[in-house]
Amino acid sequence: MDLKEPRLVFLEANNSCPYRWSTGEIVGSFLTALRDHGKLLASKCPACYRVACPPASYCEECGAAATELVEVGPTGVVVSSAGVEEPWAGAPLDVPFCYVLIRLAGADTSLLHLAPNDGSVHPGSTVRPELRPERNGSITDIKWFVAAGEVERGGP
Amino acid sequence: MIEAVKDPGEPENPVREVEGSLDLRFRHSYGEHYDRFYREMRDNRRIMTVKCSRCGAVLLPPRPYCGFCFSEADEWVELPDEGTLLTYTIVHLPFKGQPTEPPYAYAFIMLNGADVQFPHMLGEVEFDDIEVGMRLKAVWSEDRKGTLHDIRYFRPA
Amino acid sequence: MSRRDDVNVAEMVREAALCAMNDAGIGPSQIDAVVIGSAPEIFEGVNSPENWVGPAVGAGGKPVMRIHTGGTVGASTGVAAFYHVAGGVFDTVLAVSYEKLSDGVAQYGLSACYDPLWDRDFACGAPALVGLQSNLYLSRYPGVNEEHAAMVAVKNRRNALNNPHAQLRREVTVRDVLDSAPIATPIKLLDCCPTSDGAAAMVIAEDRTARRLCPRPAWFAGVGTCSESPYVPHVDMAYPESCVRAAQQAYQMAWVYEPLRDLDVAEVYEAFSFQELIWSETLGLCSPGGGGRLVESGATAMDGELPVNPSGGVLSANPIGATAMIRQVEAAMQVMGRAGDRQVPGARKALAHAWGGAIQFSVVTIFADEV
């Protein structure tokens, strides 16, 4: 017996899986300080003095428990960047942006975040965070990092 | 610049979890074997599958190799839409993507001539009357789209 | 093991890793390689979790391997670490395995384990799968019934009272189990394991190092692993061949000829009470169809000939990715004489069993106090 069109080529499947990720106390404190005070906190290792932002309750370098939180930034220097010209559906922002690794003042590690993709931010730039007016305790409470000079000229 | 954070006291509702979701979209490729299997169900209202060229096992789901002896399975055969109940369970648990509201009877059916079970549901039977080994026959849907739901359920034969 | 809102995944695993390393009196610098196991990433919603968990357990700068074999992953992780050392490549290896089911919705992960082009619509996770398995088993052996399964639940839930790490620590009666809500027949609520958060860790070392670090180590005496597929001919859910073969491999290595006699204690993976009846048979503790009589006789009780699941078993805690390693840890601690209130007196040879997938993976590990 003959088979009819259409052939079966693809089965579309969409799954939306919800999560509630426990942060633990240290990451929780980082997000709380960002939400409530717009501050960036880092963890300082008591054994090797490495300052890590974002913080963790353990030092990834030497393995010691790290429970002291210190404030870092708000400015930082861009270490590396990768530009996105055409954001895809579900991208972190819906305007052209750069992924940036930022060495915040006082930190020994780089923070991954975003920056405008308009030539204002590049490796070596000093940047500072542009906070969202409404914050809920996630890393996106910072919209992105902008060139520090811009904000000093009377930015948001 | 670097100073230990003075204890600001415990905030009223410190952040302790981050909510989010993973939105996963896929386009699963059918492949030739599933394509033929499901179009046979959709268009010709029958179950066609493959037989192993070496050990002769009739396999489900159809695929180009035999999972038992790893030889090619390239001969297509027609299976009747009748068989016996290998095992079953009455599902009471609500679960993502279920075919119907629980409770329902989820079954493994050995179609006549097949060597691997066919997963489906039972209908037109009281749960207490279901017995392993009972003879079953498929009830087909008139609105077939090329899925296992082209058979609505199996009922006692 | 229970719901851990107070830590993130990496911190939870670090707790277990530190516990094992501190117990061995070593730090990360003395670990040569790390093996990390967990069940499908969709449970916690973080892909390549070894990137996150690795640094938390001191894996920086070391060889790291991630293992995944369904519900057996914890045991496979322990076995992989054993191969690392037994193969002579590394001296001291850290094995960790974990699950934090409370971060996600377990059903989504379980549902996605099935082929979307075949039976994903009909499959209903582990309870329905084991419901099918259990009904096949009960229909084959009319002398075994739901009461025998309930006896397993009663035994293991009572044993859990001696285990401070168990999540469920409240006794139940046979009547409680039989009257509990149906989930997927013949399985009822009290025949089921809970969903748990948890992690386990082991330090595995070669001979001289082990003797230096530990006055009475548990030795890997036998290892067996086998896998099969649910959709091939001649598969028998009520008597899985993969378990029989894995057990035979392990028994041959460990000089176990009559398991009931030659083993002193067993930890088996009974996610649902009926499974302990089935695994008793596939592990050769009794003949096929004898699982009901075995539990009824009291032979597998704490004061029986071969105590099974003195820890309370999987019925008392099930952090999926860690569960199979927890069976290994419990078995190892028995032969080390460190099982606390759940210690089987004089235990010298202990079995840890695991199953996983659509009942397709089996791992059997045997520990002894000497080799």
Side-chain angles (χ1 to χ4, degrees), chain B residues 9 14 39 42 68 118 139 145 155:
Chain B
R39 284 203 286 157
R42 181 191 70 189
F68 185 65
F118 189 83
V139 174
K145 299 186 170 60
R155 62 165 172 76

Side-chain angles (χ1 to χ4, degrees), chain C residues 40-349:
Chain C
E41 286 103 319
I42 196 171
F43 286 133
E44 287 85 22
V46 180
N47 280 351
S48 297
E50 60 280 11
N51 294 347
W52 183 22
V53 167
V57 301
K62 302 194 178 121
V64 173
M65 198 173 276
R66 171 135 185 277
I67 302 287
H68 171 40
T69 56
T72 55
V73 59
S76 295
T77 304
V79 167
F82 162 72
Y83 290 151
H84 277 49
V85 175
V89 183
F90 301 101
D91 282 349
T92 313
V93 175
L94 175 69
V96 295
S97 66
Y98 69 90
E99 211 71 67
K100 195 165 190 298
L101 291 175
S102 66
D103 273 10
V105 179
Q107 280 198 6
Y108 286 73
L110 292 169
S111 160
C113 289
Y114 289 88
D115 182 348
L117 296 165
W118 190 238
D119 55 351
R120 186 180 287 184
D121 279 356
F122 292 94
C124 178
L129 176 68
V130 181
L132 293 168
Q133 178 187 33
S134 304
N135 267 331
L136 181 62
Y137 174 69
L138 292 178
S139 70
R140 185 176 300 169
Y141 303 115
V144 188
N145 56 46
E146 294 183 40
E147 258 193 68
H148 293 119
M151 290 176 199
V152 168
V154 169
K155 168 176 75 72
N156 293 351
R157 294 289 296 271
R158 180 182 304 134
N159 288 348
L161 298 178
N162 293 327
N163 182 1
H165 300 293
Q167 179 177 351
L168 300 181
R169 302 185 69 199
R170 196 160 52 88
E171 286 197 69
V172 298
T173 65
V174 167
R175 192 76 257 155
D176 290 338
V177 178
L178 294 177
D179 288 347
S180 59
I183 299 295
T185 61
I187 292 167
K188 301 160 286 298
L189 185 63
L190 293 181
D191 291 311
C192 297
C193 56
T195 54
S196 316
D197 296 341
M202 299 195 289
V203 173
I204 292 158
E206 59 82 40
D207 188 334
R208 279 178 309 173
T209 306
R211 291 186 200 278
R212 180 169 53 80
L213 293 179
C214 184
R216 189 176 158 187
W219 300 98
F220 279 83
V223 168
T225 65
C226 186
S227 64
E228 54 187 318
S229 163
Y231 284 108
V232 292
H234 317 302
V235 150
D236 184 353
M237 292 171 89
Y239 195 75
E241 184 69 21
S242 65
C243 183
V244 175
R245 290 198 196 185
Q248 283 170 350
Q249 289 168 27
Y251 290 158
Q252 194 166 28
M253 277 177 76
W255 298 340
V256 170
Y257 302 105
E258 286 178 39
L260 205 62
R261 179 197 70 188
D262 297 340
L263 295 169
D264 300 312
V265 58
E267 286 278 336
V268 308
Y269 198 131
E270 82 320 359
F272 302 90
S273 58
F274 291 82
Q275 291 188 310
E276 187 171 307
L277 306 175
I278 295 171
W279 307 141
S280 301
E281 299 172 15
T282 52
L283 292 171
L285 308 186
C286 61
S287 54
R293 276 193 309 279
L294 187 73
V295 67
E296 197 169 16
S297 73
T300 56
M302 282 303 290
D303 57 357
E305 188 177 353
L306 177 65
V308 174
N309 290 349
S311 65
V314 184
L315 284 177
S316 304
N318 189 11
I320 297 176
T323 296
M325 184 179 285
I326 290 168
R327 307 276 74 71
Q328 290 178 326
V329 169
E330 288 288 334
M333 285 172 63
Q334 288 282 345
V335 307
M336 294 164 89
R338 299 177 54 193
D341 291 337
R342 54 203 189 278
Q343 178 72 52
V344 172
R348 303 192 63 194
K349 204 171 258 184

Side-chain angles (χ1 to χ4, degrees), chain B residues 28-30 34 37-38 57 61 67-68 86-97 99 106 108 115 117 119 132 148-149, chain C residues 45 107-108 111 115-119 121-125 127-128 131-132 135-136 139 182-185 230-234 237:
Chain B
H28 302 285
S29 296
Y30 275 87
Y34 273 133
F37 175 85
Y38 283 118
F68 185 65
L86 174 66
T87 184
Y88 73 100
T89 182
I90 310 300
V91 175
H92 291 262
L93 176 71
F95 199 84
K96 177 183 185 328
Y106 170 37
F108 275 359
D115 292 292
Q117 69 274 10
V132 165
L148 284 181
H149 300 290
Chain C
Q107 280 198 6
Y108 286 73
S111 160
D115 182 348
L117 296 165
W118 190 238
D119 55 351
D121 279 356
F122 292 94
C124 178
L132 293 168
N135 267 331
L136 181 62
S139 70
I183 299 295
T185 61
Y231 284 108
V232 292
H234 317 302
M237 292 171 89

